[in-house]
């Protein structure tokens, strides 16, 4: 008597091979077509009549006989011809998703594998995900070829959003650790009771593509970034600083994920891929901090913005890990969108300014109540508008909207938002006298080609 375990579906068997084995060995196993139907239903979770399984096996026999007489391999020209003659369709929908209809050779198990379906329809599983899928058996019969069983596969897919995983970050950090060399700069002894230097590079928009050639791209953005740093360092080299505030996360990046959109989903024209942008930005920021911390201890302050809120936040986490053993570097990676810092009699607030609008000057006395009451000079520095807005003082709070060094993309050009001077503003603060010096660094010179 045959061991009952041999009648069960084996781990290496799919539905088709299991059915063929049962029917091919039914005399040896001592089973009939009804028992086979019972076993197949139990293995597949179906509830089919024995005639269904019997017909499937008969179809296999016909196809196998056909292959033997024609001396064909498994991948037959008949199948290829049928697939090529099938009217495949791809439809791109308004929301960015796509529909695809193809005739595919696959097993029932394959039809449940989303990666298999994506690849069979020509989509990269790393970039696309399945919204829904429907696979139907598609039989083609003629006298010469017999009955061929394929699947009519219809899927709807959409781009994966913000799928930049831990492994990607590890690869980027490991690459930099192997290849990064800190910049050299003459060391300057800082003064414990010195002044505060605020380096504020607002709205760099790394990876923005300008509306014309040589207007702006990721390479020009990097040139502008380091030109600003060099200019500020040179203009303040005679001063002694107690601390440096480095404000970089006002839309430092132009996009917030693999789909080339802002945080809110607005499509952007870009000059390089997301991963390349992320690697470039990480290297630029590490090098900038290494430069500035040779002047005085550096604190970077994370401020969420409307183009890159998630990407800038993850970059703050990368910087925090990179400088974790450096006593003269403090990375603020708190995701709050507004921050306040006190320096002697000065209270300085930071916000991108896209959400609060006219309320910025009224918020500081509420959110920083204690420091507000104990200081004399209060300012909030925001960005977003890419131009130096009229300075407004309200209830003793000065609100400054800072300029941007970035060029104009197609949307800004078509909308007429042109003409603002491309520059950055940095500040020197005195503990007792407030803001003493504002450094304007224009980046419109021919050496940068930012027009």
């Amino acid at each position: 008597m045959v061991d009952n375990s041999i009648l069960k579906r084996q781990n290496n068997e799919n539905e088709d091979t299991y059915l063929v084995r049962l029917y091919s060995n039914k005399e040896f196993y001592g089973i009939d077509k009804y028992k086979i139907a019972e076993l197949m239903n139990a293995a597949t979770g179906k509830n089919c009549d024995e005639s269904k399984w019997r017909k499937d096996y008969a179809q296999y026999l016909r196809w196998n006989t056909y292959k033997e007489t024609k001396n064909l391999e498994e991948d037959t020209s008949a199948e290829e011809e049928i697939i090529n003659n099938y009217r495949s369709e791809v439809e791109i929908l308004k929301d960015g998703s796509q529909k695809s209809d193809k005739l595919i050779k696959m097993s029932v198990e394959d039809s449940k594998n989303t990666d298999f379906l994506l690849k069979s329809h020509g989509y990269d599983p790393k970039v696309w995900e399945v919204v829904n899928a429907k696979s139907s058996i598609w039989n083609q019969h003629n006298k010469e070829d017999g009955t061929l069983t394929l699947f009519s596969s219809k899927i709807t897919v959409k781009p994966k959003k913000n799928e930049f995983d831990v492994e990607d970050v590890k690869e980027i950090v490991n690459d930099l650790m192997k290849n990064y060399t800190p910049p050299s700069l003459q060391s300057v002894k800082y003064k414990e009771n010195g002044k505060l230097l605020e380096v504020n590079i607002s709205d760099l928009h790394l990876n923005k593509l300008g509306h014309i050639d040589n207007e702006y791209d990721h390479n020009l953005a990097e040139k502008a970034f380091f030109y600003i740093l060099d200019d500020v360092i040179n203009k303040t080299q005679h001063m002694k600083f107690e601390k440096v505030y480095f404000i970089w996360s006002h839309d430092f990046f132009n996009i917030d994920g693999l789909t080339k959109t802002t945080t809110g989903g607005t499509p952007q024209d870009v000059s390089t891929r997301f991963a390349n942008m992320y690697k470039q930005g990480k290297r630029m920021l590490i090098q900038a901090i290494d430069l500035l911390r040779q002047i005085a201890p550096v604190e970077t302050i994370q401020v969420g913005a409307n183009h890159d809120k998630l990407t800038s936040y993850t970059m703050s986490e990368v910087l925090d890990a990179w400088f974790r053993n450096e006593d003269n570097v403090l990375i603020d990676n708190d995701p709050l969108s507004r921050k306040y810092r006190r320096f002697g009699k000065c209270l300085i607030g930071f916000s991108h300014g896209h959400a609060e609008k006219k309320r910025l000057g009224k918020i500081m006395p509420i959110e920083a109540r204690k420091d507000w009451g104990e200081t004399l000079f209060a300012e909030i520095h925001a960005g977003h508008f890419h131009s130096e807005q009229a300075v407004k003082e309200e209830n003793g709070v000065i609100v400054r909207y800072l300029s941007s060094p970035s060029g104009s993309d197609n949307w800004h050009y078509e909308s007429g938002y042109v003409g603002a001077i491309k520059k950055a503003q940095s500040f020197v603060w005195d503990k007792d006298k407030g803001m003493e010096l504002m450094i304007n660094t224009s980046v419109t010179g021919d050496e940068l080609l930012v027009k």
Side-chain angles (χ1 to χ4, degrees):
M1 185 174 180
V2 176
D3 187 352
N4 284 334
S5 62
I6 198 65
L7 298 180
K8 295 181 179 180
R9 181 174 170 179
Q10 306 301 305
N11 292 334
N12 63 345
E13 289 182 313
N14 60 32
E15 180 179 312
D16 297 330
T17 55
Y18 181 42
L19 175 64
V20 170
R21 179 170 66 84
L22 291 178
Y23 261 103
S24 299
N25 297 279
K26 67 176 183 176
E27 286 79 12
F28 176 74
Y29 293 159
I31 57 178
D32 57 16
K33 59 184 180 181
Y34 300 104
K35 182 62 177 179
I36 291 176
E38 179 186 332
L39 291 169
M40 290 300 300
N41 287 334
T44 62
K46 298 178 180 178
N47 186 26
C48 299
D49 185 80
E50 64 84 17
S51 61
K52 188 269 183 194
W53 303 113
R54 176 166 42 83
K55 291 177 181 178
D56 284 354
Y57 179 64
Q59 182 172 278
Y60 160 78
L61 292 177
R62 288 194 298 270
W63 175 239
N64 203 46
T65 301
Y66 169 77
K67 286 199 297 182
E68 290 175 354
T69 58
K70 294 290 186 179
N71 193 25
L72 297 175
E73 298 294 333
E74 179 129 318
D75 185 14
T76 67
S77 58
E79 287 179 350
E80 291 176 356
E81 183 179 354
I82 293 171
I83 291 174
N84 291 335
N85 289 334
Y86 185 82
R87 187 177 178 182
S88 300
E89 293 182 349
V90 175
E91 180 182 1
I92 300 175
L93 305 180
K94 188 176 181 180
D95 61 359
S97 62
Q98 298 185 14
K99 290 184 177 180
S100 177
D101 181 357
K102 291 187 71 174
L103 194 62
I104 299 174
K105 179 184 177 182
M106 62 180 173
S107 66
V108 174
E109 282 70 21
D110 289 335
S111 69
K112 302 173 185 177
N113 186 322
T114 55
D115 281 357
F116 177 88
L117 291 175
L118 285 167
K119 291 177 182 178
S120 298
H121 283 262
Y123 295 100
D124 186 348
K126 293 182 178 180
V127 181
W128 298 86
E129 60 182 334
V130 174
V131 177
N132 56 58
K134 182 179 180 181
S135 301
S136 305
I137 292 179
W138 197 88
N139 289 333
Q140 174 83 9
H141 180 78
N142 58 54
K143 293 181 180 180
E144 181 181 353
D145 299 327
T147 300
L148 304 180
T149 299
L150 300 166
F151 281 83
S152 172
S153 176
K154 299 178 181 179
I155 64 173
T156 302
V157 300
K158 67 177 182 180
K160 287 185 175 179
K161 188 174 183 180
N162 295 330
E163 186 113 349
F164 195 63
D165 59 25
V166 175
E167 293 304 316
D168 294 318
V169 175
K170 285 181 179 178
E171 179 185 350
I172 290 172
V173 173
N174 288 336
D175 175 69
L176 191 66
M177 290 179 71
K178 293 177 182 178
N179 302 309
Y180 178 72
T181 302
S184 60
L185 181 71
Q186 183 73 31
S187 179
V188 179
K189 293 183 179 180
Y190 68 93
K191 185 178 179 182
E192 290 187 359
N193 291 317
K195 301 181 187 297
L196 168 71
L197 175 62
E198 175 192 340
V199 180
N200 199 321
I201 304 180
S202 176
D203 292 284
L204 182 71
H205 289 276
L206 181 65
N207 200 19
K208 178 196 285 188
L209 181 63
H211 70 285
I212 56 175
D213 290 343
N214 292 326
E215 165 69 13
Y216 203 66
D217 60 21
H218 58 286
N219 291 320
L220 291 175
E222 180 171 349
K223 290 182 68 175
F225 180 79
F226 284 108
Y227 181 81
I228 293 165
L229 287 171
D230 289 342
D231 184 65
V232 173
I233 291 171
N234 287 327
K235 287 178 178 177
T236 59
Q237 59 184 335
H238 62 286
M239 301 180 182
K240 301 291 185 180
F241 293 105
E242 179 178 334
K243 194 167 190 177
V244 176
Y245 285 161
F246 179 36
I247 319 300
W248 59 269
S249 64
H250 287 284
D251 283 344
F252 178 82
F253 298 105
N254 194 45
I255 56 174
D256 208 14
L258 300 179
T259 53
K260 303 176 185 178
T261 65
T262 65
T263 305
T266 303
Q268 298 294 302
D269 294 327
V270 298
S271 57
T272 189
R273 295 191 308 160
F274 179 85
N276 294 336
M277 174 196 75
Y278 200 88
K279 291 178 182 179
Q280 180 184 10
K282 178 195 56 161
R283 175 181 50 77
M284 289 167 57
L285 291 169
I286 290 174
Q287 187 173 348
I289 294 170
D290 277 338
L291 284 169
L292 294 173
R293 72 191 180 106
Q294 297 181 63
I295 299 173
V298 175
E299 180 180 0
T300 72
I301 300 174
Q302 164 70 27
V303 179
N306 61 309
H307 271 251
D308 65 344
K309 191 169 187 177
L310 177 60
T311 305
S312 282
Y313 170 73
T314 61
M315 184 58 69
S316 290
E317 293 289 349
V318 170
L319 295 176
D320 186 50
W322 184 269
F323 290 105
R324 65 190 181 280
N325 296 321
E326 303 297 336
D327 294 334
N328 62 349
V329 177
L330 177 63
I331 307 296
D332 166 50
N333 51 2
D334 191 311
L336 290 175
S337 57
R338 289 182 298 278
K339 306 290 175 62
Y340 303 96
R341 293 295 185 269
R342 180 175 175 177
F343 182 70
K345 296 179 182 179
C346 309
L347 181 60
I348 315 168
F350 304 99
S351 171
H352 189 57
H354 63 292
E356 304 91 347
K357 297 182 172 61
K358 295 181 180 180
R359 297 184 296 276
L360 266 179
K362 301 175 182 178
I363 295 174
M364 176 185 275
I366 299 173
E367 294 184 330
R369 190 181 302 274
K370 183 176 184 299
D371 289 331
W372 159 259
E374 296 175 354
T375 53
L376 180 60
F377 306 99
E379 291 199 11
I380 293 181
H381 293 172
H384 183 61
F385 294 106
H386 293 205
S387 61
E388 187 176 5
Q389 301 286 318
V391 177
K392 180 179 181 181
E393 184 171 358
E394 185 176 14
N395 297 327
V397 179
I398 295 176
V399 179
R400 297 182 190 272
Y401 285 93
L402 308 184
S403 301
S404 165
S406 71
S408 298
D409 59 14
N410 191 63
W411 182 86
H412 283 87
Y413 175 77
E414 293 291 340
S415 301
Y417 293 118
V418 296
I421 300 299
K422 309 303 187 289
K423 64 180 179 179
Q425 284 123 343
S426 300
F427 305 87
V428 175
W429 293 85
D430 183 271
K431 281 186 175 180
D432 297 317
K433 299 177 182 179
M435 195 268 285
E436 283 192 331
L437 176 66
M438 181 168 68
I439 303 169
N440 283 290
T441 304
S442 170
V443 290
T444 57
D446 291 339
E447 71 277 4
L448 291 179
L449 292 175
V450 178
K451 299 178 181 179

